Amino acid sequence: MGIFDIFLLEAVVNGLLLGGVLALLALGLNLIFGVIDVVWICYAELVMIGMYAIYYFASAYGWPLWLAVPAAIAVVAVLGVLLHVLVISPLLGAEPINQLLATGGVLFFLQSFATVAFGIEFRNLGLRLPVIEVGDIFISYARLLAFGCALAGMLAVWLFLSRTYTGTAIRAISQDRQIMALMGVDTRRIYLITSAVGGGLAGLAACLLVLQYDVHPFVGLSFGPIIFMICVMGGLGNMLGGFIAAFIFAELISVGGLFLDLEWGYVFAFVFFIAMMFVRPEGLLARRS
Amino acid sequence: MLQLNAVDAGYGGFRALFGVSLEVRLGEAVGVIGPNGAGKTTLMRVISGLIRPRAGTITWEGTDLASVPAHRIVELGIAHVPENRRLFPRMTVEENLRMGAFIPSARARFAERLDFVYDLFPRMKERRSQLAGTMSGGEQQMCAIGRALMSSPKILLMDEPSAGLAPVIVQQVFELVKRIRESGLTVLIVEQNVQQVLRVVDRAYLLDAGSIRMSGTAAELAANESVREAYLGI
Ligand SMILES: Nc1ncnc2c1ncn2[C@@H]1O[C@H](COP(=O)(O)OP(=O)(O)OP(=O)(O)O)[C@@H](O)[C@H]1O
Ligand SMILES: [Mg+2]
């Protein structure tokens, strides 16, 4: 293999690994949208709070990871529930634009809150995870771990949605909201559970991202827009579409970044997104209704 | 067993039911007939809690339903097969039936209820993993009835189960209604197919413009001049 082929292969593998975490976040956002019919514009900021949570629990307080990780996930899950109860629920009957503005407001609130509470320094866990050599290519153990955990998280959500009564109700609610009461389903309770799961997924993603990236109050900006593009391209609320789109975008960023640099990878992703909006505005796997 | 007393109901500023009183006794099959827009669907919805009465009382086995949240009403033994079936189209037949068994008491008996429904509708067993939205209208109606039966109800509210079906299938649906009531279930059924429904119910009410205009045994209504003229085309 030539040196370029090796770099290319490495970029493809890294794209795949990045795709796992993006797919996890897209799943959370799609779940919320599919069930509650609102877009949590501040989703990446929930992840940011989760990254601080794991940083404080693991680094500052020195809790062991087996405790710090579930605690951080729980913090963001509770945050998701609070977001629903305090912001979304009162606006459920309002115009979608008001809901967008409200969750957009929460985005700025969380950024400012983090700046005041945690400061603007970049922080990290200070873990030194090894790099693994497979054949000729090098793979970061942190990325591999993040990928595996993201897949496991998605599998768990899938099992929950397909095997349990509550999960079945979560899928049913987006198909016919009005008759859920006839099934004996309390939709408000389903919304709370979905918000907790959506928050929990952001918390899990936070634990995985903090392995690779420093946390600061504006870290959400570096992946928030990408997640929205993924969801829109996959078709908002379409979980399978979001999953596929996540890997397409991750490869674009990773392989595109190989030719120039990472910022250019993002530029490619945006250009691709805009082009796709002309070709398939309904999303990749749009259902004809 | 079910008693409506001077019930008013509506949507926003619009009143659809005016002082409706109606009774269904244990083991009875009762029909509600009436023209389009009479308020028949509204009547079903107000019983199952999808909309709330503005005045009057709805009593079910001694409980005032107005004080029960909509999602708890099915737990009291009231199952509603809604107008236009309202299946979850992108879920399989079996998942739809699973939703019908959502309440805790039904979950515990899921396998037993599933056997019961598959016995009643062998076709549903064949189609168990087909997406509900891809089935024919008659099959969807069976699935909708099956879904309501999954909760082991005491009373089944059926809103125009024969609507939009071919004549042969309509026959089958009414056969089925007969079998369901023979199994001991109480039935309250709304129908536009007056001739057919009067053959399967014991008593019926005529609802028009939100008020009960007439009530009596099926034979009485079938013999009534104005019913014959307006609904039986005789
Ligand atoms: N969601 C709603 N919002 C406003 N008005 C409604 C609503 N649903 C029904 N109505 C009105 O209430 C009245 C009664 O409607 P309903 O659906 O109960 O009639 P119906 O007897 O079931 O008619 P059909 O035989 O056509 O099914 C109608 O005038 C209808 O326009
Ligand atoms: Mg109707």
Side-chain angles (χ1 to χ4, degrees), chain B residues 9-12 14-17 33-45 51 83-84 159-160 190-192 207 210:
Chain B
Y11 306 90
F14 180 82
R15 263 176 94 186
L17 293 180
I33 58 175
N36 287 113
K40 306 182 297 295
T41 298
T42 309
L43 175 66
M44 298 301 235
R45 286 190 187 142
I51 57 174
E83 186 172 35
N84 301 325
D159 195 344
E160 301 208 37
V190 160
E191 260 300 334
Q192 301 239 15
L207 187 69

Side-chain angles (χ1 to χ4, degrees), chain B:
Chain B
M1 172 152 151
L2 176 68
Q3 202 144 22
L4 277 73
N5 207 333
V7 169
D8 283 5
Y11 306 90
F14 180 82
R15 263 176 94 186
L17 293 180
F18 299 84
V20 169
S21 297
L22 168 154
E23 188 191 9
V24 184
R25 292 185 282 263
L26 182 67
E28 252 190 336
V30 173
V32 177
I33 58 175
N36 287 113
K40 306 182 297 295
T41 298
T42 309
L43 175 66
M44 298 301 235
R45 286 190 187 142
V46 84
I47 297 172
S48 59
L50 290 184
I51 57 174
R52 296 278 130 170
R54 303 239 173 104
T57 54
I58 306 175
T59 328
W60 165 254
E61 294 185 319
T63 313
D64 179 11
L65 289 187
S67 60
V68 182
H71 66 272
R72 295 230 175 272
I73 286 183
V74 58
E75 289 173 17
L76 302 177
I78 300 177
H80 180 165
V81 186
E83 186 172 35
N84 301 325
R85 312 182 258 276
R86 304 286 287 268
L87 293 175
F88 302 109
R90 296 188 299 279
M91 301 204 314
T92 65
V93 168
E94 196 150 311
E95 284 174 329
N96 270 275
L97 296 177
R98 177 183 285 273
M99 280 312 297
F102 185 85
I103 57 171
S105 62
R107 284 183 206 190
R109 308 174 53 191
F110 178 72
E112 178 196 329
R113 292 309 291 173
L114 198 63
D115 282 346
F116 173 80
V117 169
Y118 282 160
D119 250 13
L120 202 60
F121 308 109
R123 176 73 67 88
M124 289 302 104
K125 191 166 186 175
E126 285 166 31
R127 303 280 161 131
R128 65 211 289 174
S129 26
Q130 185 173 341
L131 293 185
T134 64
M135 292 197 300
S136 76
E139 288 164 349
Q140 291 193 17
Q141 190 62 57
M142 290 180 202
C143 188
I145 296 173
R147 184 178 65 180
L149 291 174
M150 289 299 292
S151 64
S152 309
K154 296 177 195 161
I155 189 171
L156 194 61
L157 312 178
M158 290 201 233
D159 195 344
E160 301 208 37
S162 80
L165 301 181
V168 195
I169 313 291
V170 170
Q171 284 299 338
Q172 290 176 12
V173 166
F174 282 104
E175 273 310 307
L176 198 94
V177 175
K178 260 190 193 158
R179 276 169 63 196
I180 286 173
R181 59 160 313 195
E182 277 159 13
S183 78
L185 217 68
T186 306
V187 174
L188 180 63
I189 179 171
V190 160
E191 260 300 334
Q192 301 239 15
N193 195 330
V194 174
Q195 199 166 2
Q196 295 275 8
V197 77
L198 289 181
R199 285 193 193 138
V200 297
V201 297
D202 304 303
R203 291 188 303 114
Y205 293 84
L206 171 63
L207 187 69
D208 192 0
S211 304
I212 301 283
R213 286 288 136 85
M214 205 182 291
S215 66
T217 65
E220 278 166 13
L221 262 83
N224 183 282
E225 276 305 317
S226 53
V227 173
R228 286 168 74 89
E229 238 170 71
Y231 302 105
L232 299 177
I234 304 170

Side-chain angles (χ1 to χ4, degrees), chain A residues 64 72 76 88 95 173 177 255 284:
Chain A
V76 189
I88 303 295
E95 297 289 318
I173 212 168
R177 213 169 290 277
V255 177
L284 278 181

Side-chain angles (χ1 to χ4, degrees), chain A residues 29 32-40 84 88 91-92 99 103:
Chain A
L29 206 52
I32 299 294
F33 179 79
V35 174
I36 311 176
D37 212 15
V38 295
V39 179
W40 280 5
H84 182 78
I88 303 295
L91 289 175
L92 270 184
Q99 299 167 346
T103 55

